[in-house]
Amino acid sequence: MSSRQLVQPLTLRPVTAADHLAFIRTQPSASFLQVPAWGPVKSEWQHESLGWFRPGADGEEMVGAALVLYRQLPKVKRYLAYLPEGPVLDWASFTDPDARLADWLEPLRDYLKTKGAFGIRIGPPVVTRRWSAAQIKEGVSDPAVRRLDDIAPLERTPTGAAVVSQLHELGWQPQAAEGGFAAGQPQYNFHVPLTVDGRAKTEDEVLKSMNQLWRRNIKKAAKEGVEVTRGTRDDLAAFHALYVHTAERDHFTPRPLAYFEKMWDSLTPEEDDRFVLHLARHEGDLVAATISIRVGQHSWYSYGASSTEKREVRGSNAVQWEMIRSALAAGAAVYDMRGITDTLDADDPHVGLIQFKVGTGGEAVEYVGEWDLPINRAIYAAFQLYMKRR
Amino acid sequence: MTLTLHVDGPRWRDHLVAVAERTPGMVPVAKGNGYGFGLPRLARRTQWLADRGAAAGHTWGDVLAVGTYDEIGEVASRYDGSILVLTPWRPFGAALDVDPALAHRVIHTVSRAEDLATLLERQPDARYVLELVTSMLRHGMTGRELRGLGGLTARGTLEGVAMHLPLAQGSHLSQVQRLVTDAIAADLPTRTLWVSHLTRSELDRLRTSYSDFTIRPRIGTDLWLGDRGALKVTAQVLDVHAVERGDVFGYRSRTAPKSGHVLVVSGGTAHGIGLEAPSGDQSLKARAATLARGGLDAVGFVRSPYSIGGKQRLFAEPPHMQASMLFLPHGSQVPQVGDEIDVRVRFTATAFDRVEVS
């Protein structure tokens, strides 16, 4: 009630990619989908960098940033303005009851409206609930537990709840992703915390929180002589061949090689470790390959591939361990294994993925999820219908 | 001269225990006319439930909910647990006159930020629940107001957040989820939810998703009146007069339309007989039936809630204060003075002369 009057209004305007990047560098972390170099990766969409400004003692201060992707509707010059895992702002400030999300989102809406957006989609990277690896393990073995929601979380965060409450109040609509993989970015993710009591964990501490199978496999890979190296742009082709092989085996649709080359070309120059290709070889054979991405203290395992032959040398575990070690060395606070579904049903085919991730001893986190604000209701409704029928 | 509620005691008590057993954390509600039983009886019965629950390791009836501050006195001496007042506390009226000897047993419902500040000023150790506004838009705070309470909720004893949901129109769960999110956003020092009007499956779902919360379902009608077969209402026949067509009778000197009998039976406006309380049924058919009854009124006799020989009988004229006159056409079986006849009433709108529990 007191500080409210002192807060200066925020303004929003386009910024250069350089200013955008400079802001990201001041942040402890931001989603890699919100760095300026991500824009060119999505070349079929237009993109723009935006900045929030607040008048300060020494002139204007940039306090938030967004990478907006404009997705055009077929035939008309109207766009869905999409801020994947964004925007980048001080989400933690919303524990303060006086902090108003409207102060941030109203200028955003006003600006995007002038750009021809019929709707806006955001995905605040804010955690609402957490579950421990032990809880998940127990849940999978308990037939009464089918989804994460069936287990009381370790924590429900007031910040996450405050963001959800305010989004509802402001008329944003949750894009409920039943199961977690249906829409846009995953709402449930798996994190391996790399800090404890405010300090970095040691490699030993990280290893100790893993289950026995993971530790044994990491040891086994070392004993078998699996070597993990960093790849060059030329190695992307070898990664891609293995990735296509993995896609056939695991029944998912692979992205083309050009997509990964585009990621390389756009992301690698932006920052050290922004985009790293890891290759695990056994006696010269490529047995696993992964891509990791890091922004500040947040390191992601982004794409992975593994051979069907020589599974016993445990290339996958070796390359994961190498990525975790690199993240630790770079001072990351979180190793993020990305999306999981919320299923804990032992019969669900997705449960294998969560079990693999759970072996690292990390935690499942639920994010606020993706939310839409319709601007032009008629076009937005048509768009929703179109997306449903696609 | 009595309108009597007969209760099949064993069957009714079995029902109460069955509801309690399938509703962990149940909070019985006793308000208004005590659902026909009267508040004192429900208070004693709540004590009975609380004792049985405690013996079995459950919390049934450790809290009794009453409607208003004026009702506290009627239950407090017949029951020794906590008393939740459903009407929100306001800085005026009966809320300020709570007997100091009972103050520690009372849980206030607070629905406005300014009321919480005032209540805590008057009674620093007050026990209270915070009511959230639901789609009913009756009383309660919005998520924003709740977040604005700040450190206030660390004072006194916050016993939980309360929500008063409308009668079921589809599932309430998404609304409950939103309200709980509002409560979490406010970082309240409580993990207790006081809810009403959730179906059993909704409650089960809520307990699963929020197993780190304590759920306190408030139940009135479904508890006390949930087994209608255990309840029977009768009136007494006080007088019987044979009439011929054209005979004059009653306050309004009506004439008999044909030969038959005029009956004087117990039960009148003082009991709630003849007053139309809206029935829960909102169907087109029910509304048409109401219209049809209105139509009857215009031309002559109105259908009464009294049945004789399994048939609902007509009022010979509008009910009196404590008795009613019925018309029984020629050919019907005529009851004797002193006979008991069945009456269909709205329990929440009826004042019985006597409640007999077997």
Side-chain angles (χ1 to χ4, degrees):
Chain A
M1 288 161 230
S2 47
S3 59
R4 176 84 197 121
Q5 288 78 15
L6 305 174
V7 173
Q8 299 287 340
L10 295 169
T11 53
L12 177 97
R13 61 169 182 270
V15 294
T16 63
D19 285 347
H20 183 177
L21 180 60
F23 176 76
I24 295 282
R25 283 179 173 151
T26 66
Q27 298 296 299
S29 73
S31 169
F32 68 91
L33 303 174
Q34 281 292 308
V35 300
W38 188 253
V41 175
K42 293 286 162 186
S43 53
E44 72 275 30
W45 297 14
Q46 296 173 43
H47 64 269
E48 184 175 37
S49 293
L50 301 176
W52 277 269
F53 294 87
R54 173 176 287 155
D58 319 316
E60 246 185 1
E61 181 194 6
M62 185 163 163
V63 290
L67 176 72
V68 184
L69 303 175
Y70 294 98
R71 175 175 196 157
Q72 194 180 342
L73 270 190
K75 291 180 190 147
V76 280
K77 277 217 168 303
R78 301 301 294 269
Y79 307 87
L80 175 71
Y82 182 34
L83 287 67
E85 295 186 359
V88 183
L89 49 88
D90 184 7
W91 293 103
S93 68
F94 292 101
T95 41
D96 179 348
D98 293 332
R100 282 166 29 103
L101 194 48
D103 292 343
W104 299 81
L105 296 183
E106 278 166 10
L108 179 70
R109 178 200 58 203
D110 293 347
Y111 175 78
L112 293 175
K113 205 170 163 181
T114 68
K115 297 285 287 185
F118 66 85
I120 312 172
R121 177 169 298 172
I122 62 173
V126 180
V127 171
T128 50
R129 293 188 283 179
R130 302 175 188 280
W131 295 265
S132 72
Q135 282 185 303
I136 295 166
K137 209 179 133 198
E138 221 170 278
V140 173
S141 62
D142 181 350
V145 172
R146 313 242 331 268
R147 300 184 306 141
L148 278 170
D149 190 53
D150 295 341
I151 311 177
L154 276 187
E155 185 194 8
R156 299 181 191 263
T157 72
T159 312
V163 171
V164 170
S165 279
Q166 297 199 36
L167 284 169
H168 271 302
E169 284 164 13
L170 297 171
W172 290 70
Q173 300 168 1
Q175 300 304 295
E178 190 70 31
F181 271 162
Q185 300 303 323
Q187 185 165 6
Y188 295 91
N189 287 275
F190 200 83
H191 285 179
V192 182
L194 299 181
T195 58
V196 60
D197 305 329
R199 62 163 176 91
K201 285 186 177 176
T202 63
E203 285 185 12
D204 243 18
E205 283 172 318
V206 177
L207 269 176
K208 270 200 190 113
S209 28
M210 291 183 174
N211 71 12
Q212 214 183 3
L213 187 66
W214 262 81
R215 287 201 301 266
R216 206 161 51 209
N217 287 340
I218 288 169
K219 226 181 264 174
K220 180 155 193 206
K223 211 172 122 198
E224 294 279 352
V226 174
E227 261 192 292
V228 182
T229 57
R230 290 196 170 201
T232 63
R233 190 179 190 281
D234 291 341
D235 291 319
L236 280 175
F239 157 79
H240 193 258
L242 194 62
Y243 165 75
V244 168
H245 168 81
T246 308
E248 274 168 22
R249 186 185 65 219
D250 297 347
H251 311 291
F252 64 85
T253 313
R255 292 182 180 278
L257 175 59
Y259 183 78
F260 294 98
E261 289 173 341
K262 212 162 19 180
M263 274 175 85
W264 179 285
D265 293 342
S266 189
L267 289 169
T268 350
E270 195 173 79
E271 202 80 79
D272 285 348
D273 288 358
R274 183 69 94 228
F275 177 100
V276 180
L277 174 64
H278 306 263
L279 305 161
R281 288 196 176 84
H282 179 257
E283 292 167 354
D285 298 326
L286 188 63
V287 288
T290 55
I291 288 162
S292 68
I293 294 180
R294 185 168 65 80
V295 180
Q297 294 171 7
H298 205 114
S299 184
W300 286 266
Y301 159 46
S302 185
Y303 284 93
S306 62
S307 65
T308 310
E309 272 91 60
K310 289 198 172 180
R311 291 187 82 76
E312 69 285 357
V313 304
R314 295 295 159 191
S316 289
N317 298 92
V319 76
Q320 288 291 340
W321 177 232
E322 187 52 36
M323 283 193 289
I324 291 171
R325 289 180 61 208
S326 309
L328 270 173
V334 178
Y335 179 67
D336 188 332
M337 303 186 83
R338 296 283 290 166
I340 51 173
T341 59
D342 67 347
T343 183
L344 296 181
D345 187 342
D347 298 330
D348 191 295
H350 289 299
V351 84
L353 178 71
I354 194 169
Q355 278 174 315
F356 173 75
K357 293 180 180 179
V358 162
T360 60
E363 59 187 21
V365 296
E366 178 198 49
Y367 283 117
V368 162
E370 298 203 314
W371 293 68
D372 281 15
L373 182 72
I375 293 177
N376 180 317
R377 293 200 170 262
I379 299 181
Y380 179 79
F383 165 76
Q384 288 286 71
L385 197 66
Y386 162 76
M387 292 302 284
K388 223 177 270 172
R389 290 194 177 157
R390 233 167 36 129
Chain B
M1 299 270 289
T2 41
L3 184 70
T4 308
L5 168 59
H6 303 269
V7 183
D8 177 341
R11 181 170 166 176
W12 187 55
R13 288 187 291 270
D14 281 353
H15 165 75
L16 300 182
V17 171
V19 173
E21 274 173 348
R22 65 172 183 248
T23 319
M26 179 182 78
V27 177
V29 178
K31 60 180 179 183
N33 71 339
Y35 297 84
F37 299 92
L39 297 178
R41 183 181 308 275
L42 297 188
R44 286 192 298 267
R45 194 49 59 190
T46 301
Q47 184 69 53
W48 176 84
L49 269 174
D51 293 344
R52 286 184 75 108
H58 300 291
T59 48
W60 306 334
D62 58 330
V63 181
L64 171 64
V66 297
T68 64
Y69 282 92
D70 289 314
E71 290 168 352
I72 294 175
E74 289 203 62
V75 301
S77 58
R78 297 166 169 103
Y79 160 80
D80 62 19
S82 298
I83 300 164
L84 169 70
V85 183
L86 297 174
T87 300
W89 189 89
R90 291 286 184 264
F92 49 77
L96 308 184
D97 297 332
V98 175
D99 179 351
L102 297 176
H104 67 285
R105 286 173 60 194
V106 173
I107 302 173
H108 304 278
T109 297
V110 176
S111 68
R112 303 187 305 170
E114 61 264 42
D115 288 348
L116 181 56
T118 316
L119 169 64
L120 289 169
E121 230 166 78
R122 299 180 60 99
Q123 192 192 344
D125 64 346
R127 301 168 67 190
Y128 59 96
V129 297
L130 293 172
E131 177 151 15
L132 308 187
V133 69
T134 67
S135 58
M136 262 184 86
L137 278 188
R138 209 161 81 159
H139 306 296
M141 287 181 234
T142 62
R144 174 161 301 285
E145 287 163 342
L146 207 58
R147 291 197 296 278
L149 291 177
L152 218 48
T153 56
R155 295 165 47 193
T157 306
L158 173 58
E159 304 267 357
V161 293
M163 41 193 94
H164 195 144
L165 297 159
L167 289 167
Q169 307 259 328
S171 174
H172 286 126
L173 281 181
S174 62
Q175 181 169 182
V176 173
Q177 209 167 19
R178 269 190 66 174
L179 294 169
V180 180
T181 300
D182 287 344
I184 296 167
D187 210 3
L188 299 176
T190 180
R191 279 286 183 269
T192 302
L193 305 175
W194 303 73
V195 296
S196 61
H197 297 133
L198 290 176
T199 64
R200 215 190 315 174
S201 73
E202 285 174 332
L203 275 173
D204 287 346
R205 187 69 228 148
L206 202 62
R207 282 199 195 90
T208 306
S209 293
Y210 295 94
S211 53
D212 48 339
F213 280 73
T214 304
I215 316 271
R216 303 301 313 255
R218 298 183 305 245
I219 306 196
T221 306
D222 287 349
L223 175 66
W224 307 119
L225 302 174
D227 184 2
R228 290 297 166 102
L231 310 173
K232 182 179 152 88
V233 179
T234 62
Q236 281 175 316
V237 176
L238 305 176
D239 235 322
V240 179
H241 306 285
V243 290
E244 291 302 323
R245 181 162 189 256
D247 282 357
V248 177
F249 68 89
Y251 275 128
R252 290 165 177 80
S253 301
R254 287 186 166 200
T255 51
K258 49 189 173 181
S259 70
H261 289 83
V262 168
L263 267 56
V264 184
V265 298
S266 57
T269 52
H271 301 91
I273 298 285
L275 300 178
E276 287 263 355
S279 81
D281 196 350
Q282 287 296 307
S283 70
L284 205 60
K285 197 178 152 198
R287 284 157 61 187
T290 305
L291 265 179
R293 283 202 294 279
L296 262 176
D297 192 20
V299 289
F301 290 174
V302 180
R303 205 147 66 113
S304 82
Y306 296 87
S307 317
I308 298 168
K311 247 179 110 174
Q312 249 182 295
R313 299 300 171 173
L314 300 177
F315 277 126
E317 72 168 358
H320 306 170
M321 196 192 288
Q322 291 184 313
S324 296
M325 294 179 94
L326 308 179
F327 182 75
L328 209 57
H330 182 72
S332 317
Q333 206 190 340
V334 184
Q336 304 285 307
V337 171
D339 280 1
E340 301 227 309
I341 60 174
D342 289 338
V343 197
R344 238 182 54 188
V345 298
R346 289 268 297 166
F347 290 89
T348 51
T350 306
F352 297 102
D353 295 314
R354 190 175 290 169
V355 179
E356 285 178 359
V357 184
S358 66

